[in-house]
Amino acid sequence: MQHDTPSLSIKVRSALFFVLYNLAGIIYSFFCVIVGFWLPMRPRHRFINQWTHLTMWLDRHLNGVKVKLEGAHNLPDSPCVVLSNHQSSWETFFLQTLICPQTTVVKRELLWIPFFGWGLALLNPIRIDRSKGNAALKSLLKQGKERLQQGLPVVIFPEGTRQLPGTIGRFNHGGTMLACQAGVPVVAISSNSGDCWPKGTWIRYPGTITVRISPPIGTEGKKAQQVTAEVQQWIQEHYPG
């Protein structure tokens, strides 16, 4: 979607959102580090995710971003690997509210960020160093299996980096390798988040983000490449836009 030059109202609302969500993140992260450390896993996730819910509330009421969710019933109760297309930070927030608790793959450098990174570390994410290639993949598989055995779904963005609205990037096979080796299904998610929260700008545009969730995709007897192709095809065919 191509946007016109943002109006003054959109700029003011976007600036206010940026200030409030960052300020709330700094303040709440402080309490998360103090309180969250002592909580068991599931209550800890729910406690830390209150800031995520606040971010979504601010986005809805300040920026006018609505959400249309389709296929939520397809999310299994048992552990799975969730693979989503990636256009902005929006889906990293929204999926935390949709799937809780969960574990996600993060660059280890994010955990060094004061306040935000400290709170993120309490969610026990899968830490990888992308610069190390095969070592990063081995780390993903090892930590991912541990999280799945703990009963946690693993959320991965197989494109690796944010894409422009309307664009689907090349998928890597790390997430499907994890699912195949662990013997769990994959759930694909397709959304058009970049239409309202485009990468590389602080402007947030009003509109509706549609999130579509696939039925579980089985991995038994399949190679990772085959499952990746199925996931990418589903996301492309069900892309909202």
Side-chain angles (χ1 to χ4, degrees), residues 21-173:
Y21 122 87
N22 279 289
L23 182 61
I26 292 172
I27 295 172
Y28 197 70
S29 295
F30 177 77
F31 289 104
C32 287
V33 172
I34 295 175
V35 178
F37 180 79
W38 305 102
L39 294 174
M41 179 187 68
R42 293 182 185 277
R44 180 192 302 174
H45 278 253
R46 288 194 294 268
F47 180 76
I48 293 174
N49 270 335
Q50 293 307 306
W51 174 61
T52 310
H53 283 279
L54 174 61
T55 299
M56 294 289 94
W57 186 90
L58 289 171
D59 193 35
R60 181 170 65 254
H61 290 280
L62 277 179
N63 299 325
V65 176
K66 301 177 182 178
V67 180
K68 181 180 179 183
L69 180 61
E70 300 176 1
H73 61 280
N74 288 325
L75 290 170
D77 295 328
S78 55
C80 65
V81 174
V82 177
L83 300 181
S84 171
N85 70 313
H86 192 25
Q87 293 186 355
S88 76
S89 301
W90 183 89
E91 54 263 19
T92 65
F93 287 105
F94 178 76
L95 293 182
Q96 287 281 352
T97 68
L98 180 66
I99 306 169
C100 181
Q102 64 161 265
T103 189
T104 189
V105 180
V106 301
K107 296 181 291 185
R108 62 176 186 172
E109 294 82 6
L110 289 178
L111 305 180
W112 303 339
I113 300 174
F115 302 107
F116 172 79
W118 304 339
L120 181 59
L122 290 173
L123 296 176
N124 200 21
I126 297 172
R127 305 160 171 83
I128 63 169
D129 183 352
R130 288 183 177 175
S131 66
K132 292 190 175 180
N134 288 335
L137 177 59
K138 291 179 180 179
S139 183
L140 164 63
L141 296 175
K142 179 177 182 296
Q143 295 180 64
K145 290 176 185 176
E146 292 172 353
R147 305 298 190 276
L148 290 167
Q149 289 169 358
Q150 294 169 0
L152 290 172
V154 176
V155 177
I156 298 176
F157 301 103
E159 292 160 302
T161 187
R162 292 171 295 175
Q163 306 295 316
L164 294 172
T167 303
I168 303 295
R170 179 179 176 272
F171 282 29
N172 63 59
H173 303 300

Side-chain angles (χ1 to χ4, degrees), residues 173 176-177 180 222-232:
H173 303 300
T176 53
M177 287 180 66
C180 290
K222 298 178 182 177
K223 295 186 179 297
Q225 292 82 353
Q226 177 185 349
V227 181
T228 300
E230 291 182 41
V231 169
Q232 185 162 1

Side-chain angles (χ1 to χ4, degrees), residues 1-4 87 164-167 192 194-196 198 205-208 239:
M1 174 186 291
Q2 295 293 327
H3 291 288
D4 297 329
Q87 293 186 355
L164 294 172
T167 303
N192 59 324
D195 289 347
C196 297
Y205 294 93
T208 299
Y239 178 78

